């Protein structure tokens, strides 16, 4: 991974924060930012965030996840990340219960389709040959919303409704980036 100067990293963090806080931001704006700055998605666990890997299917058209995350450990398997908007709500809170919103459940359904694709051995081999990425039952991650909008316990409690889904918020990405900035 290319080393970025402290001033450049600070500028990129500000650019991402501005995107996140813009009411006009579109998923494609975020996609473009992360394609140009994959280190925001990679953290320490992944060496590469590969955009738009095409998963070919007969008759139904291809599936195209936003990012395939290639782990730093060459023996580990890749994971999938889907981008949603920072303004998306994570929880629906009613008098007696807290639950995940339809935006989260829609992302979950989308990711589950991608995950199911890799149950087929031939499809896994094809993707590995084409992209050099190894998959089997990839972890499903969605980057969505802001954690700061909710009590930590309410979000943690609701997250248990879909145990195979990892919810990553834009706050999480910014905090990890700021932490990296402090260590420079």
């Amino acid at each position: 991974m290319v080393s970025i100067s402290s001033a450049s990293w600070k500028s990129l963090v500000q650019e991402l924060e501005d995107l996140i806080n813009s009411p006009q931001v579109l998923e494609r704006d975020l996609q473009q930012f992360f394609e140009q700055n994959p280190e925001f998605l990679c953290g320490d666990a992944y060496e590469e965030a590969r955009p738009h890997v095409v998963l070919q299917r007969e008759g139904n058209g291809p599936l195209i996840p936003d990012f395939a995350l290639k782990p730093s450990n060459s023996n580990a398997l890749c994971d999938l990340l889907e981008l949603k908007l920072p303004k998306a709500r994570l929880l629906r809170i009613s008098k007696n219960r807290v639950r995940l919103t339809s935006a989260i459940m829609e992302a979950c359904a989308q990711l589950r389709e991608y995950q199911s694709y890799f149950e087929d051995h031939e499809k896994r081999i094809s993707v590995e040959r084409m992209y050099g990425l190894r998959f089997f039952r990839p972890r499903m991650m969605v980057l969505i919303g802001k954690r700061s909008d909710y009590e930590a316990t309410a979000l943690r409690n609701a997250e248990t409704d879909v145990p195979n889904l990892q919810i990553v918020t834009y706050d999480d990405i910014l905090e990890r980036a700021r932490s990296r900035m402090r260590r420079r």
Side-chain angles (χ1 to χ4, degrees):
M1 200 174 291
V2 178
S3 179
I4 299 172
S5 73
S6 293
S8 295
W9 185 253
K10 186 175 181 178
S11 174
L12 287 172
V13 170
Q14 186 61 55
E15 181 181 344
L16 177 58
E17 189 167 13
D18 291 345
L19 273 174
I20 291 168
N21 291 324
S22 169
Q24 290 84 26
V25 72
L26 302 172
E27 280 183 33
R28 72 171 177 249
D29 301 327
L30 296 161
Q31 179 79 31
Q32 183 177 20
F33 177 86
F34 289 123
E35 284 180 19
Q36 293 171 356
N37 304 286
E39 55 278 3
F40 281 87
L41 298 178
C42 291
D44 294 330
Y46 300 100
E47 72 177 29
E48 183 181 358
R50 181 94 49 100
H52 294 142
V53 171
V54 177
L55 309 177
Q56 294 295 341
R57 299 185 301 170
E58 298 267 334
N60 293 328
L63 295 170
I64 306 174
D66 288 333
F67 287 95
L69 301 176
K70 184 178 182 182
S72 301
N73 177 345
S74 61
N75 294 318
L77 298 167
C78 297
D79 296 317
L80 295 171
L81 175 79
E82 197 61 28
L83 297 178
K84 299 299 175 195
L85 291 173
K87 62 186 169 200
R89 303 290 301 158
L90 303 177
L91 300 178
R92 181 174 171 134
I93 302 171
S94 61
K95 185 177 179 182
N96 294 319
R97 65 189 135 272
V98 176
R99 67 178 175 86
L100 297 172
T101 63
S102 59
I104 297 271
M105 297 312 289
E106 179 64 27
C108 183
Q110 191 175 2
L111 285 159
R112 201 170 41 249
E113 279 295 307
Y114 303 152
Q115 189 180 49
S116 294
Y117 180 89
F118 294 107
E119 289 298 315
D120 182 302
H121 178 74
E122 293 303 317
K123 290 176 180 173
R124 290 195 308 268
I125 296 300
S126 176
V127 169
E128 186 172 358
R129 281 188 195 128
M130 186 172 296
Y131 296 103
L133 302 172
R134 293 178 46 235
F135 286 95
F136 180 68
R137 296 186 181 155
R139 288 187 189 98
M140 302 185 307
M141 293 180 247
V142 60
L143 176 52
I144 187 170
K146 295 181 179 178
R147 190 171 297 276
S148 58
D149 292 344
Y150 306 96
E151 288 184 29
T153 55
L155 186 55
R156 175 69 55 91
N157 192 38
E159 283 177 314
T160 62
D161 290 347
V162 186
N164 293 328
L165 179 68
Q166 182 181 351
I167 299 170
V168 180
T169 68
Y170 286 91
D171 294 335
D172 298 334
I173 296 293
L174 278 175
E175 185 50 41
R176 188 169 63 206
R178 288 182 185 124
S179 175
R180 181 176 168 184
M181 204 165 39
R182 290 189 294 269
R183 290 191 308 259
R184 289 177 174 265

